[in-house]
Amino acid sequence: MSPYPSRHAWFATLVVCGCLSFPDTAHADNAAAAEFTLRNHNPFLQIFGLPPLQSASVVPAGETNFGVSLDLANNADFGATEIENLFIDGESYFLQMTLRRRVKSWLELGVDVPLVSHSGGFMDSAIINWHDTFGMSNTKRRGPDDELLFLYQRDEATLYELSSTASGLGDVQMTAAIPIKEAAADGYALTVRTSLKLPTGDDRELLGRGAADLAAGLYMSRSATFFHRPLSLSAFGGLLLLGDGDVLPELQESAVPFGGVVGSWQVAERFAITTQLQAQGAYYASDIEELGGGTTQLGVGFRYRLQKNGRCLKFAVVEDITADATTDFALHFSFNSRCDR
């Protein structure tokens, strides 16, 4: 078991970074970023301060961007060793409100406010049929449909258990971004992004974890054309430093690397197709892959720009592509007041 993201994720990152470095014969300055602001919604990992996937572009000077997103995440996983036992079965819902404002020419500030809910859910039977249709495995789906049980045991002692519905405020995240290079005629953008997650959620109900986390990352993007239509390519990487939390504290790592790649093709004036790959290192020192393994998840979907006001609607389907600690299946919906964010 490796605590780091799979070699496929790093290979994809290198490919896109290579594409970012090559000159382009036709620039597409209007190729707006269409990334999905996703985190890993595994119930034991979503409590950490991993920043959502963002682009290298920042809000224009003096302007504000507002967004709201809804994620429906269905989890069905289990794992065991001689001394450990893990069982994850249930659904989690994440309603998040985001705000970004360019306060100085060199600084963008923001805040993410999440509302989190864990329950037995309703999607189990539909996901089983989805997996059967596309030949994907359902071997992790044990127990009755629409059950809620998040359980971790070690040395026959239960260290965490949640079996009843929980809802409330999650961990609020403060963000800051410093643009190093903003997109111009050459189509390149480079930005340093940082975030501080505050311990505002209840760790007893997996709404938070009772500690602050600090993240910093480098985000790059470029504009190009593909079949005479705008194409946006992005890559990012960073490090998340973890405070001493209250959920499985004896297993917690101190730092987690993260990174990923995004490709978005604007196939029509108001419609873009986006594919993104995200990877993270291990959060816990556990021999159970579903808890202590590196994670890789794939998001595929689209962005639609509203005609009159330039606002955006986005939708994505999220799947785990390796047998690790990633959400089994998720749906993402979002609205943004600016279509290039």
Side-chain angles (χ1 to χ4, degrees):
M1 178 193 71
S2 171
Y4 300 103
S6 75
R7 63 180 183 273
H8 305 292
W10 293 127
F11 177 75
T13 302
L14 290 174
V15 168
V16 172
C17 288
C19 293
L20 293 170
S21 68
F22 284 113
D24 183 38
T25 57
H27 302 299
D29 299 331
N30 62 336
E35 75 285 339
F36 309 117
T37 53
L38 299 175
R39 294 184 174 92
N40 185 342
H41 290 321
N42 176 308
F44 285 100
L45 304 189
Q46 53 83 26
I47 55 177
F48 291 91
L50 179 76
L53 198 157
Q54 301 173 81
S55 74
S57 64
V58 294
V59 177
E63 296 191 18
T64 300
N65 178 58
F66 170 77
V68 59
S69 63
L70 174 64
D71 292 89
L72 287 69
N74 184 281
N75 292 278
D77 253 327
F78 66 90
T81 67
E82 291 184 357
I83 63 172
E84 296 178 277
N85 184 51
L86 175 74
F87 193 86
I88 300 176
D89 188 7
E91 281 182 16
S92 299
Y93 313 111
F94 304 87
L95 178 64
Q96 179 159 273
M97 290 151 284
T98 66
L99 187 69
R100 300 287 186 271
R101 180 167 179 80
R102 187 82 165 267
V103 296
K104 298 286 185 180
S105 62
W106 55 272
L107 181 64
E108 174 196 274
L109 296 179
V111 61
D112 298 344
V113 180
L115 300 176
V116 183
S117 178
H118 303 298
S119 72
F122 63 93
M123 294 193 293
D124 279 355
S125 59
I127 292 172
I128 290 172
N129 293 335
W130 166 278
H131 285 175
D132 287 342
T133 299
F134 291 95
M136 293 180 282
S137 174
N138 281 307
T139 57
K140 295 288 187 177
R141 295 188 168 272
R142 295 183 174 181
D145 287 352
D146 304 330
E147 173 190 48
L148 173 62
L149 180 60
F150 301 151
L151 174 70
Y152 177 77
Q153 298 172 319
R154 188 180 185 90
D155 293 326
E156 299 184 353
T158 297
L159 301 186
Y160 193 90
E161 182 176 4
L162 179 68
S163 57
S164 58
T165 299
S167 301
L169 178 68
D171 283 348
V172 173
Q173 201 161 40
M174 312 298 294
T175 70
I178 300 175
I180 299 174
K181 184 185 185 306
E182 298 194 58
D186 59 4
Y188 285 90
L190 187 65
T191 297
V192 173
R193 291 190 176 275
T194 63
S195 62
L196 175 64
K197 190 213 67 169
L198 306 176
T200 53
D202 189 342
D203 61 275
R204 295 167 298 180
E205 296 184 327
L206 277 185
L207 306 178
R209 68 182 199 90
D213 297 331
L214 178 65
L218 184 64
Y219 294 72
M220 66 184 79
S221 66
R222 72 163 301 179
S223 297
T225 57
F226 183 65
F227 285 100
H228 307 291
R229 298 300 306 173
L231 173 68
S232 174
L233 297 172
S234 302
F236 65 98
L239 188 67
L240 173 63
L241 302 178
L242 308 181
D244 296 330
D246 297 323
V247 178
L248 306 179
E250 63 279 0
L251 303 180
Q252 180 194 296
E253 300 285 5
S254 59
V256 177
F258 62 89
V261 293
V262 184
S264 181
W265 186 36
Q266 193 170 321
V267 298
E269 181 180 356
R270 291 187 285 146
F271 186 82
I273 298 173
T274 301
T275 300
Q276 64 187 49
L277 190 68
Q278 295 171 252
Q280 305 154 54
Y283 289 85
Y284 296 104
S286 169
D287 290 329
I288 296 178
E289 182 75 18
E290 291 77 11
L291 183 67
T295 73
T296 307
Q297 66 181 22
L298 176 69
V300 179
F302 64 86
R303 180 208 67 202
Y304 181 77
R305 186 175 67 230
L306 301 179
Q307 185 172 12
K308 293 183 178 181
N309 50 29
R311 295 180 171 89
C312 265
L313 300 175
K314 299 179 185 180
F315 169 77
V317 176
V318 186
E319 277 275 2
D320 62 331
I321 60 174
T322 59
D324 53 21
T326 311
T327 303
D328 184 48
F329 176 86
L331 298 174
H332 171 83
F333 307 86
S334 66
F335 166 85
N336 279 88
S337 61
R338 286 181 52 85
C339 211
D340 60 348
R341 294 288 300 147

Short mmCIF file of all heavy atoms in Angstrom, two decimals, residues 262-287:
data_model
loop_
_atom_site.label_atom_id
_atom_site.label_comp_id
_atom_site.label_asym_id
_atom_site.label_seq_id
_atom_site.Cartn_x
_atom_site.Cartn_y
_atom_site.Cartn_z
N VAL A 262 -6.80 19.43 -15.06
CA VAL A 262 -8.13 19.74 -15.57
C VAL A 262 -8.03 20.08 -17.05
O VAL A 262 -7.13 20.81 -17.47
CB VAL A 262 -8.78 20.93 -14.83
CG1 VAL A 262 -10.21 21.15 -15.31
CG2 VAL A 262 -8.74 20.75 -13.33
N GLY A 263 -8.96 19.55 -17.84
CA GLY A 263 -9.10 19.94 -19.23
C GLY A 263 -10.55 20.30 -19.52
O GLY A 263 -11.45 19.55 -19.17
N SER A 264 -10.76 21.47 -20.12
CA SER A 264 -12.12 21.93 -20.40
C SER A 264 -12.21 22.43 -21.83
O SER A 264 -11.47 23.34 -22.23
CB SER A 264 -12.52 23.04 -19.42
OG SER A 264 -13.84 23.48 -19.68
N TRP A 265 -13.09 21.83 -22.62
CA TRP A 265 -13.23 22.16 -24.04
C TRP A 265 -14.58 22.83 -24.26
O TRP A 265 -15.63 22.26 -23.97
CB TRP A 265 -13.11 20.90 -24.88
CG TRP A 265 -13.10 21.13 -26.35
CD1 TRP A 265 -12.53 22.17 -27.02
CD2 TRP A 265 -13.70 20.29 -27.34
NE1 TRP A 265 -12.72 22.04 -28.38
CE2 TRP A 265 -13.43 20.89 -28.62
CE3 TRP A 265 -14.40 19.09 -27.29
CZ2 TRP A 265 -13.87 20.33 -29.80
CZ3 TRP A 265 -14.84 18.53 -28.49
CH2 TRP A 265 -14.57 19.14 -29.72
N GLN A 266 -14.55 24.05 -24.77
CA GLN A 266 -15.77 24.81 -25.02
C GLN A 266 -16.32 24.43 -26.38
O GLN A 266 -15.97 25.02 -27.40
CB GLN A 266 -15.47 26.32 -24.94
CG GLN A 266 -16.71 27.18 -24.88
CD GLN A 266 -16.37 28.63 -24.57
OE1 GLN A 266 -15.50 28.91 -23.76
NE2 GLN A 266 -17.06 29.54 -25.23
N VAL A 267 -17.20 23.46 -26.40
CA VAL A 267 -17.70 22.91 -27.67
C VAL A 267 -18.72 23.81 -28.34
O VAL A 267 -18.99 23.67 -29.53
CB VAL A 267 -18.28 21.50 -27.44
CG1 VAL A 267 -17.22 20.55 -26.94
CG2 VAL A 267 -19.46 21.55 -26.47
N ALA A 268 -19.32 24.72 -27.59
CA ALA A 268 -20.27 25.69 -28.13
C ALA A 268 -20.10 26.99 -27.36
O ALA A 268 -19.38 27.05 -26.37
CB ALA A 268 -21.71 25.16 -28.03
N GLU A 269 -20.76 28.03 -27.81
CA GLU A 269 -20.56 29.35 -27.22
C GLU A 269 -20.83 29.36 -25.72
O GLU A 269 -20.15 30.02 -24.96
CB GLU A 269 -21.46 30.38 -27.92
CG GLU A 269 -21.29 31.79 -27.38
CD GLU A 269 -22.19 32.79 -28.08
OE1 GLU A 269 -22.89 32.38 -29.03
OE2 GLU A 269 -22.21 33.96 -27.68
N ARG A 270 -21.84 28.61 -25.29
CA ARG A 270 -22.22 28.64 -23.87
C ARG A 270 -22.08 27.29 -23.20
O ARG A 270 -22.50 27.12 -22.07
CB ARG A 270 -23.67 29.13 -23.74
CG ARG A 270 -23.84 30.60 -24.10
CD ARG A 270 -25.23 31.10 -23.78
NE ARG A 270 -26.21 30.63 -24.76
CZ ARG A 270 -27.48 30.33 -24.46
NH1 ARG A 270 -27.90 30.41 -23.23
NH2 ARG A 270 -28.30 29.94 -25.41
N PHE A 271 -21.45 26.33 -23.85
CA PHE A 271 -21.40 24.96 -23.31
C PHE A 271 -19.97 24.43 -23.37
O PHE A 271 -19.32 24.49 -24.42
CB PHE A 271 -22.34 24.06 -24.12
CG PHE A 271 -22.48 22.67 -23.57
CD1 PHE A 271 -23.34 22.40 -22.52
CD2 PHE A 271 -21.73 21.63 -24.09
CE1 PHE A 271 -23.48 21.12 -22.02
CE2 PHE A 271 -21.85 20.34 -23.60
CZ PHE A 271 -22.73 20.08 -22.55
N ALA A 272 -19.48 23.92 -22.24
CA ALA A 272 -18.12 23.36 -22.17
C ALA A 272 -18.17 22.00 -21.47
O ALA A 272 -18.94 21.79 -20.54
CB ALA A 272 -17.19 24.29 -21.41
N ILE A 273 -17.33 21.09 -21.96
CA ILE A 273 -17.17 19.76 -21.35
C ILE A 273 -15.87 19.74 -20.57
O ILE A 273 -14.82 20.18 -21.07
CB ILE A 273 -17.16 18.67 -22.43
CG1 ILE A 273 -18.48 18.65 -23.19
CG2 ILE A 273 -16.90 17.30 -21.81
CD1 ILE A 273 -18.49 17.72 -24.38
N THR A 274 -15.92 19.23 -19.35
CA THR A 274 -14.75 19.26 -18.47
C THR A 274 -14.46 17.87 -17.91
O THR A 274 -15.37 17.15 -17.52
CB THR A 274 -14.96 20.23 -17.29
OG1 THR A 274 -15.19 21.55 -17.81
CG2 THR A 274 -13.77 20.26 -16.36
N THR A 275 -13.17 17.53 -17.88
CA THR A 275 -12.69 16.32 -17.22
C THR A 275 -11.57 16.72 -16.26
O THR A 275 -10.68 17.49 -16.65
CB THR A 275 -12.15 15.29 -18.23
OG1 THR A 275 -13.20 14.93 -19.13
CG2 THR A 275 -11.64 14.05 -17.52
N GLN A 276 -11.61 16.22 -15.05
CA GLN A 276 -10.55 16.55 -14.09
C GLN A 276 -10.19 15.34 -13.25
O GLN A 276 -11.02 14.49 -12.94
CB GLN A 276 -10.96 17.73 -13.21
CG GLN A 276 -12.15 17.50 -12.30
CD GLN A 276 -12.59 18.78 -11.60
OE1 GLN A 276 -12.76 19.82 -12.24
NE2 GLN A 276 -12.76 18.71 -10.30
N LEU A 277 -8.91 15.30 -12.89
CA LEU A 277 -8.36 14.22 -12.09
C LEU A 277 -7.69 14.83 -10.87
O LEU A 277 -6.86 15.74 -11.01
CB LEU A 277 -7.34 13.44 -12.91
CG LEU A 277 -6.83 12.12 -12.34
CD1 LEU A 277 -7.94 11.08 -12.30
CD2 LEU A 277 -5.66 11.61 -13.17
N GLN A 278 -8.06 14.36 -9.67
CA GLN A 278 -7.50 14.88 -8.43
C GLN A 278 -6.88 13.74 -7.63
O GLN A 278 -7.42 12.64 -7.59
CB GLN A 278 -8.60 15.54 -7.58
CG GLN A 278 -9.21 16.77 -8.21
CD GLN A 278 -10.42 17.24 -7.43
OE1 GLN A 278 -11.56 17.10 -7.87
NE2 GLN A 278 -10.18 17.82 -6.26
N ALA A 279 -5.75 14.04 -6.98
CA ALA A 279 -5.07 13.03 -6.18
C ALA A 279 -4.57 13.65 -4.88
O ALA A 279 -4.27 14.84 -4.82
CB ALA A 279 -3.90 12.44 -6.96
N GLN A 280 -4.50 12.80 -3.84
CA GLN A 280 -4.02 13.24 -2.52
C GLN A 280 -3.22 12.11 -1.89
O GLN A 280 -3.42 10.94 -2.22
CB GLN A 280 -5.20 13.56 -1.59
CG GLN A 280 -6.19 14.56 -2.13
CD GLN A 280 -7.56 14.35 -1.53
OE1 GLN A 280 -7.71 14.32 -0.31
NE2 GLN A 280 -8.57 14.19 -2.36
N GLY A 281 -2.35 12.48 -0.97
CA GLY A 281 -1.65 11.48 -0.18
C GLY A 281 -2.51 10.97 0.95
O GLY A 281 -3.71 11.26 1.04
N ALA A 282 -1.91 10.18 1.82
CA ALA A 282 -2.65 9.54 2.92
C ALA A 282 -2.84 10.51 4.09
O ALA A 282 -1.94 11.27 4.44
CB ALA A 282 -1.90 8.31 3.40
N TYR A 283 -4.02 10.46 4.70
CA TYR A 283 -4.33 11.25 5.87
C TYR A 283 -4.09 10.48 7.17
O TYR A 283 -3.89 11.09 8.22
CB TYR A 283 -5.79 11.70 5.84
CG TYR A 283 -6.10 12.74 4.81
CD1 TYR A 283 -6.39 12.40 3.50
CD2 TYR A 283 -6.11 14.09 5.14
CE1 TYR A 283 -6.68 13.35 2.55
CE2 TYR A 283 -6.40 15.06 4.21
CZ TYR A 283 -6.68 14.69 2.91
OH TYR A 283 -6.96 15.64 1.96
N TYR A 284 -4.15 9.15 7.11
CA TYR A 284 -4.04 8.32 8.31
C TYR A 284 -2.97 7.25 8.12
O TYR A 284 -2.81 6.72 7.01
CB TYR A 284 -5.38 7.63 8.61
CG TYR A 284 -6.53 8.56 8.95
CD1 TYR A 284 -7.53 8.82 8.02
CD2 TYR A 284 -6.61 9.16 10.20
CE1 TYR A 284 -8.59 9.65 8.32
CE2 TYR A 284 -7.67 10.01 10.52
CZ TYR A 284 -8.65 10.25 9.58
OH TYR A 284 -9.70 11.08 9.88
N ALA A 285 -2.28 6.93 9.19
CA ALA A 285 -1.30 5.85 9.19
C ALA A 285 -2.02 4.54 9.50
O ALA A 285 -1.95 4.01 10.61
CB ALA A 285 -0.21 6.12 10.21
N SER A 286 -2.74 4.04 8.51
CA SER A 286 -3.52 2.82 8.66
C SER A 286 -3.16 1.86 7.54
O SER A 286 -2.92 2.28 6.40
CB SER A 286 -5.02 3.14 8.61
OG SER A 286 -5.79 1.96 8.51
N ASP A 287 -3.16 0.57 7.84
CA ASP A 287 -2.90 -0.45 6.82
C ASP A 287 -4.14 -0.79 6.01
O ASP A 287 -4.06 -1.58 5.07
CB ASP A 287 -2.35 -1.72 7.47
CG ASP A 287 -0.93 -1.55 8.00
OD1 ASP A 287 -0.19 -0.74 7.40
OD2 ASP A 287 -0.57 -2.19 9.00
#
